[in-house]
């Protein structure tokens, strides 16, 4: 397993070793390994269909892996469903947001973890009150607490999904394209949020296909292509162009640690074309 | 709202008033529309029947009379009970086509148990018979419903197929249990469940007690709601809006109670009851328009101021109302209900949030089975017999009631009270057309057309609300 900080460094918060999963004949994730340290942001990059969402969905319990081990703080763990993952402090903002469109923001925020009164009934008012607080931090202009989230704008829905992930004291946060539906100002806000969470010691997987976003926020990047890891690198050791080369061609630059998906050598012409394009 | 008419003075402010009223009271406009449609249908039947043959209904017909409305409520209760469960099933993007056959199956089984099992074993009229019969039916309903649920959730067979199979298979089982015979009669106490006989209603005194409890409940709910919102510093509804809701709610409760308390026992029934219980019958003069009985010489005759009893709420109606409250509570105030709605809105999201949607599916189908059992009890008790065709087509009426009541087949949307109103509307159409001597072919055509129209109107309404 590649340990970028050296063998004497701390144990990673999360280690996924040799993960594989196939859907029918498609090897969506193929012997992929990735790790994440406390207070670190790891950017996961790759084209659409590279297998990024599928890889992290194994960690969040949404998919069952065909092979591979997951270690949290060096201990092997069993994650068979989303409840297992949440019990380990893993929270996820899914690319699809995974919101129940027909219920309101508070019901989504607490879905699966409802607050209850002493009679065991839903404490909707307490949930709404908490929801107003957390949404007040993320999206101060948000007022539509009584409406089903279906009627909210893309950005508002995204902030509900983010609120749900950060409200329950996550240790590990997975953000799958968290800013896809957001405008520039809101995107910057999420960037601030990520820095703040990182400072609190939370480990974050940040998935994006926007390389600039990732370079600003991530400590390291891992690039996937066709279900395999091309390589992993500290952002200070590689250039954006080199990372682009990893994404498009699968070529691992010298500053990165190559994975099983890295190609050995590529025609110079193709390489030049990529550099010119970037 | 309606398009502003050209030349009308300031339509905006009028519209604003209605909108303000609706916003402040947070009333469901769709429900108001249904209540309106129901009232129009009722008035229409009363007027039309009055034209054919004048009666003492509100508009001179024979539909809006205490007697007819009392019977209407009793007739609605069986479908209404099942419709509350069907709402949750459809909300969860499932369907249950087997409820009618399941009702027949449970009905003949519980009938067979009483007539051929418990009657001979314990002695006819034994006080434990009805209790054993009720428990048996409920357990049987739960088991059959659970079987449906397990096949759907764990073997991943679509509910349409599983319950279509159930529709056919349970109907075969129902025939097999009694070989197509009619089982009768039911136990004396058991019959009360169906509103069968004068003692199957709770009488005016207890009906008024219930009405006052209901009014108290409405006021208490409004006050605790305000307290809660104040505790969390949420905006409060204006006092006038709360008052309107409280007053209207209480008036509905009191009005319904006044209505059922205005339906007197039939003179023959009073006479029999008075003689059996040694109740003195006052002297009086014959008056065929009265609902009471008097002693005129040595004869017993109808009169105005004599001995009479009012029925009050019938037991099956009370059962249906209780089921309505329980199911509303389950849907709105419990985790179970929240999960049902969330799963209907987005099954994947519910699963990712940690909801065990398979177990939830088994639970709602089991619940549906129990509700079918309750309806089987009501139907057999009401008819004082059971046949293997008792529940025939009930699945269609139950689904129609839920859908007319605003349940969306796309899942995630539906209310219990809507389904109850839907059931009442369907039964009103049926009863009204029976009153007008419509041929049953015409009745079916009208009910079918109303179903389709209701769903179309619903879609138009929803599109406008967006
Ligand atoms: N539930 C699924 N069933 C079948 N194929 C899937 C499923 N989820 C993902 N895939 C396939 O796996 C591959 C990787 O997809 P995904 O992880 O969503 O990529 P990314 O998030 O990197 O864009 C794609 O070819 C996709 O079609
Ligand atoms: Mg993806």
């Amino acid at each position: 397993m590649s340990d970028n900080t050296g063998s004497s460094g701390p144990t990673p918060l999360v280690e996924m070793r040799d993960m594989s999963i196939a859907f029918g004949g498609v090897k969506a994730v193929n012997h992929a390994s990735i790790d994440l340290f406390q207070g670190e942001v790891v950017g996961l990059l790759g084209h659409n269909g590279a297998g990024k969402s599928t890889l992290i969905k194994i960690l969040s319990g949404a998919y069952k892996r065909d092979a591979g081990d997951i270690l949290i703080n060096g201990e092997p763990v069993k994650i068979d469903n989303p409840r297992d993952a949440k019990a380990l402090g893993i929270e996820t903002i899914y690319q699809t947001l995974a919101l129940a469109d027909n219920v309101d923001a508070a019901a989504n925020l607490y879905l699966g973890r409802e607050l209850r009164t002493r009679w065991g009934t839903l404490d909707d008012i307490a949930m709404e009150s908490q929801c107003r607080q957390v949404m007040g931090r993320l999206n101060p202009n948000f007022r539509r607490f009584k409406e089903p989230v279906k009627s909210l704008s893309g950005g508002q829905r995204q902030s509900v999904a983010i609120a749900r992930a950060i409200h329950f004291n996550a240790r590990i946060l997975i953000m799958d394209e968290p800013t896809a539906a957001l405008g520039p100002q809101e995107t910057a806000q999420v960037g601030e949020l990520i820095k703040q969470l990182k400072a609190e010691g939370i480990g974050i997987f940040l998935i994006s296909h926007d390389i600039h976003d990732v370079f600003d926020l991530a400590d390291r990047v891992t690039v996937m292509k066709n279900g395999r890891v091309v390589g992993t690198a500290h952002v200070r050791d590689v250039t954006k162009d080199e990372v682009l080369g990893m994404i498009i061609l699968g070529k691992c630059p010298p500053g990165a640690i190559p994975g099983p998906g890295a190609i050995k050598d590529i025609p110079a012409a193709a390489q030049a074309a990529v550099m010119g394009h970037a | 709202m309606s398009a502003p008419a050209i030349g009308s003075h300031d339509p905006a402010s009028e519209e604003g008033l209605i909108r303000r009223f609706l916003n402040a009271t947070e009333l469901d406009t769709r429900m108001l529309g249904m209540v309106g449609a129901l009232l129009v249908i009722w008035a229409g039947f009363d007027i039309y029947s009055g034209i054919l043959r004048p009666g003492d209904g509100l508009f001179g017909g024979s539909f809006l009379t205490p007697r007819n409305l009392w019977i209407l409520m009793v007739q609605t209760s069986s479908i209404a009970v099942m419709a509350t469960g069907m709402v949750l099933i459809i909300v969860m993007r499932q369907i249950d086509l087997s409820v009618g056959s399941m009702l027949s199956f449970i009905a003949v089984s519980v009938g067979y148990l009483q007539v051929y099992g418990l009657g001979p074993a314990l002695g006819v009229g034994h006080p434990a018979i009805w209790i054993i019969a009720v428990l048996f039916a409920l357990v049987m309903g739960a088991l059959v419903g659970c079987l449906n649920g397990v096949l759907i959730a764990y073997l991943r067979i679509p509910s349409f197929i599983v319950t279509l199979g159930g529709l056919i298979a349970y109907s075969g089982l129902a025939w097999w249990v009694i070989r197509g015979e009619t089982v009768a009669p039911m136990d004396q106490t058991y019959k009360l469940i169906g509103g069968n006989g004068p003692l199957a209603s709770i009488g005016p005194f207890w009906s008024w007690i219930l009405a006052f409890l209901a009014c108290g409940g409405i006021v208490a709910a409004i006050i605790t709601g305000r307290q809660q919102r104040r505790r969390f510093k949420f905006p409060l509804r204006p006092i006038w809006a709360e008052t309107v809701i409280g007053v209207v709610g209480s008036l509905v409760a009191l009005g319904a109670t006044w209505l059922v308390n205005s339906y007197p026992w039939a003179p023959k029934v009073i006479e029999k009851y008075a003689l059996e219980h040694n109740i003195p019958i006052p002297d009086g003069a014959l008056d065929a328009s009265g609902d009471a009985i008097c002693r005129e010489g040595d004869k017993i005759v109808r009169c105005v101021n004599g001995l009479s009893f009012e029925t009050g709420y019938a037991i099956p109606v009370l059962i249906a109302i209780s089921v309505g409250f329980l199911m509303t509570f389950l849907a709105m105030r419990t985790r179970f209900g929240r999960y049902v709605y969330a799963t209907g809105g987005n099954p994947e999201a519910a699963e990712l949030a940690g909801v065990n949607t398979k177990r939830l599916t088994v639970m709602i189908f089991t619940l549906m089975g129990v509700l079918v059992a309750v309806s089987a009890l009501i139907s057999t008790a009401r008819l004082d017999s059971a046949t293997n065709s008792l529940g025939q087509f009930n699945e269609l009426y139950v689904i129609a009631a839920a859908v007319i009541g605003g349940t969306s087949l796309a899942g995630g949307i539906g209310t219990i009270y809507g389904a109850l109103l839907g059931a009442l509307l369907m039964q009103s159409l049926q009863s009204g057309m029976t009153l007008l001597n419509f041929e049953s072919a015409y009745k079916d055509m009208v009910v079918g057309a109303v179903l389709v129209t209701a769903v179309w109107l619903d879609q138009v309404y929803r599109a406008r609300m967006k």
Side-chain angles (χ1 to χ4, degrees):
Chain A
M1 181 62 216
S2 59
D3 185 349
N4 228 19
T5 58
S7 53
S8 60
T11 28
L13 180 57
V14 182
E15 236 187 306
M16 296 178 81
R17 289 183 185 161
D18 250 1
M19 310 304 307
S20 291
I21 187 169
F23 299 105
V26 183
K27 287 183 178 167
V29 173
N30 194 355
H31 295 285
S33 298
I34 191 168
D35 58 359
L36 172 72
F37 289 85
Q38 214 185 338
E40 189 191 32
V41 178
V42 169
L44 189 51
L45 291 164
H47 273 314
N48 267 337
K52 309 178 297 286
S53 296
T54 307
L55 178 64
I56 57 89
K57 275 184 164 178
I58 297 173
L59 182 60
S60 72
Y63 289 151
K64 259 195 201 133
R65 59 190 180 267
D66 297 336
D69 298 306
I70 302 174
L71 288 81
I72 307 276
N73 288 326
E75 298 287 323
V77 291
K78 216 168 82 68
I79 299 179
D80 289 336
N81 56 47
R83 273 160 293 176
D84 291 348
K86 287 183 190 195
L88 291 164
I90 302 169
E91 293 291 337
T92 312
I93 301 159
Y94 291 97
Q95 189 169 7
T96 56
L97 303 184
L99 298 174
D101 281 328
N102 56 332
V103 295
D104 62 18
N108 269 291
L109 179 64
Y110 279 95
L111 189 56
R113 302 183 262 218
E114 287 75 9
L115 298 180
R116 288 189 286 177
T117 64
R118 71 194 117 119
W119 298 287
T121 57
L122 294 175
D123 197 343
D124 276 323
I125 296 211
M127 287 192 268
E128 188 183 328
S129 158
Q130 290 285 313
C131 182
R132 281 173 189 263
Q133 276 180 30
V134 59
M135 289 300 286
R137 269 206 294 154
L138 284 176
N139 194 342
N141 297 324
F142 185 73
R143 291 280 175 280
R144 298 159 78 183
F145 289 97
K146 290 283 183 209
E147 292 173 52
V149 297
K150 177 170 37 195
S151 61
L152 306 183
S153 72
Q156 289 171 330
R157 289 161 52 83
Q158 198 126 33
S159 41
V160 173
I162 295 174
R164 174 165 67 180
I166 63 169
H167 188 56
F168 296 94
N169 300 321
R171 280 196 298 165
I172 300 153
L173 190 58
I174 301 168
M175 305 173 102
D176 195 348
E177 316 247 0
T179 56
L182 301 184
Q185 194 195 340
E186 291 157 311
T187 302
Q189 237 172 318
V190 172
E192 287 308 311
L193 178 71
I194 291 175
K195 285 178 194 154
Q196 188 190 330
L197 295 169
K198 174 180 148 78
E200 290 169 19
I202 297 171
I204 300 173
F205 280 121
L206 176 62
I207 299 178
S208 178
H209 54 244
D210 183 348
I211 187 167
H212 307 290
D213 264 6
V214 174
F215 255 74
D216 290 344
L217 295 167
D219 301 291
R220 287 185 296 146
V221 290
T222 295
V223 176
M224 289 183 75
K225 188 171 175 5
N226 300 330
R228 302 205 285 185
V229 172
V230 173
T232 302
H234 274 282
V235 286
R236 59 170 186 267
D237 297 338
V238 286
T239 65
K240 284 184 186 174
D241 284 347
E242 283 172 330
V243 173
L244 216 55
M246 292 167 85
I247 296 171
I248 298 172
L249 301 169
K251 179 180 183 290
C252 201
I257 298 159
I263 52 163
K264 303 301 172 265
D265 56 295
I266 53 163
Q271 192 175 1
V274 172
M275 296 312 170
H277 166 82
Chain B
M1 300 283 120
S2 58
I6 297 163
S8 73
H9 53 283
D10 202 7
S13 82
E14 255 170 65
E15 188 169 303
L17 209 68
I18 296 170
R19 179 125 299 169
R20 243 181 59 208
F21 171 80
L22 291 174
N23 283 346
T25 51
E26 291 172 22
L27 280 176
D28 176 357
T29 44
R30 200 189 173 286
M31 182 196 75
L32 292 182
M34 277 191 71
V35 171
L38 195 61
L39 296 179
V40 168
I41 289 172
W42 284 4
F45 277 131
D46 199 53
I47 293 168
Y48 194 9
S49 63
I51 293 170
L52 298 183
R53 190 162 49 88
D56 48 13
L58 190 61
F59 300 108
S62 43
F63 192 88
L64 286 175
T65 63
R67 174 187 143 78
N68 191 53
L69 292 175
W70 186 91
I71 294 173
L72 182 66
M73 285 195 240
V74 173
Q75 284 174 334
T76 304
S77 39
S78 170
I79 297 291
V81 165
M82 290 190 280
T84 62
M86 192 62 80
V87 169
L88 296 191
I89 294 219
I90 299 177
V91 162
M92 250 189 89
R93 302 191 181 187
Q94 311 282 359
I95 194 78
D96 192 341
L97 299 174
S98 70
V99 294
S101 297
M102 203 196 294
L103 187 145
S104 303
F105 182 32
I106 297 171
V108 294
S109 302
V110 79
Y112 185 91
L113 177 75
Q114 281 177 63
V115 174
Y116 299 107
L118 298 174
L122 300 175
V124 172
H126 190 284
I129 289 181
W130 78 273
I131 299 174
I132 298 173
V134 167
L135 290 177
F136 171 82
L138 296 178
V139 170
M140 184 174 167
L143 289 176
V144 178
C146 184
L147 173 69
N148 280 347
V150 167
L151 293 177
I152 293 159
Y154 290 98
L155 300 191
R156 295 159 182 263
I157 313 170
S159 57
F160 187 92
I161 301 299
V162 168
T163 59
L164 181 62
L167 168 81
I168 301 165
Y170 302 143
S171 132
L173 276 166
W175 191 89
W176 174 77
V177 170
I178 51 164
R179 300 266 150 205
E181 280 174 47
T182 299
V183 248
M186 300 293 127
D187 175 73
Q188 283 303 314
T189 319
Y190 179 90
K191 275 164 63 175
L192 302 182
I193 299 169
N196 205 330
L199 296 181
S201 300
I202 58 171
F205 175 74
W206 290 108
S207 297
W208 282 123
I209 296 276
L210 274 185
F212 291 131
L213 284 177
C215 294
I218 292 169
V219 173
I222 291 173
I223 290 173
T224 49
R226 280 186 85 81
Q227 278 171 349
Q228 285 281 315
R229 292 168 83 101
R230 199 171 281 139
R231 181 157 71 94
F232 286 96
K233 302 198 172 58
F234 288 176
L236 296 175
R237 270 196 284 222
I239 287 280
W240 65 264
E242 305 270 33
T243 313
V244 167
I245 291 177
V247 169
V248 171
S250 302
L251 281 180
V252 169
L254 294 173
T257 307
W258 172 81
L259 188 86
V260 296
N261 282 344
S262 312
Y263 175 40
W265 290 12
K268 279 270 175 282
V269 176
I270 306 173
E271 187 182 331
K272 184 157 172 270
Y273 187 75
L275 292 179
E276 274 170 13
H277 292 79
N278 285 323
I279 297 170
I281 298 170
D283 290 330
L286 170 83
D287 182 346
S289 71
D291 291 314
I293 57 169
C294 294
R295 203 179 279 284
E296 195 181 44
D298 53 357
K299 277 196 308 195
I300 289 173
V301 295
R302 285 181 88 136
C303 62
V304 176
N305 290 314
L307 182 67
S308 76
F309 296 101
E310 268 68 46
T311 48
Y313 286 106
I315 288 174
V317 175
L318 292 176
I319 293 176
I321 292 173
S322 315
V323 166
F325 271 109
L326 269 174
M327 292 292 288
T328 303
F329 175 80
L330 211 55
M332 306 304 297
R333 301 248 53 89
T334 68
R335 234 181 202 192
F336 170 80
R338 175 64 46 86
Y339 289 173
V340 167
Y341 279 83
T343 304
N346 186 346
E348 196 200 346
E351 190 76 53
L352 290 175
V355 176
N356 188 338
T357 53
K358 289 197 164 91
R359 201 177 62 195
L360 197 64
T361 305
V362 174
M363 283 165 80
I364 54 162
F365 277 92
T366 307
L367 179 61
M368 185 75 240
V370 171
L371 293 172
V372 171
V374 172
S375 293
L377 293 170
I378 292 175
S379 303
T380 46
R382 178 168 153 66
L383 292 178
D384 195 13
S385 67
T387 67
N388 62 309
S389 62
L390 188 60
Q392 206 176 19
F393 299 135
N394 273 11
E395 61 282 344
L396 303 182
Y397 295 125
V398 170
I399 293 169
V403 169
I404 287 180
T407 310
S408 158
L409 284 170
I413 297 171
T415 59
I416 305 295
Y417 60 76
L420 293 175
L421 278 174
L424 188 58
L425 201 143
M426 297 262 303
Q427 189 59 50
S428 301
L429 286 174
Q430 305 253 15
S431 302
M433 289 188 290
T434 306
L435 197 75
L436 297 175
N437 287 323
F438 271 48
E439 270 178 57
S440 106
Y442 288 117
K443 281 199 276 185
D444 291 347
M445 288 187 245
V446 170
V447 171
V450 165
L451 171 65
V452 175
T453 312
V455 172
W456 174 68
L457 283 176
D458 194 39
Q459 282 177 0
V460 172
Y461 167 82
R462 280 187 214 284
R464 280 195 167 202
M465 291 303 283
K466 274 202 193 129

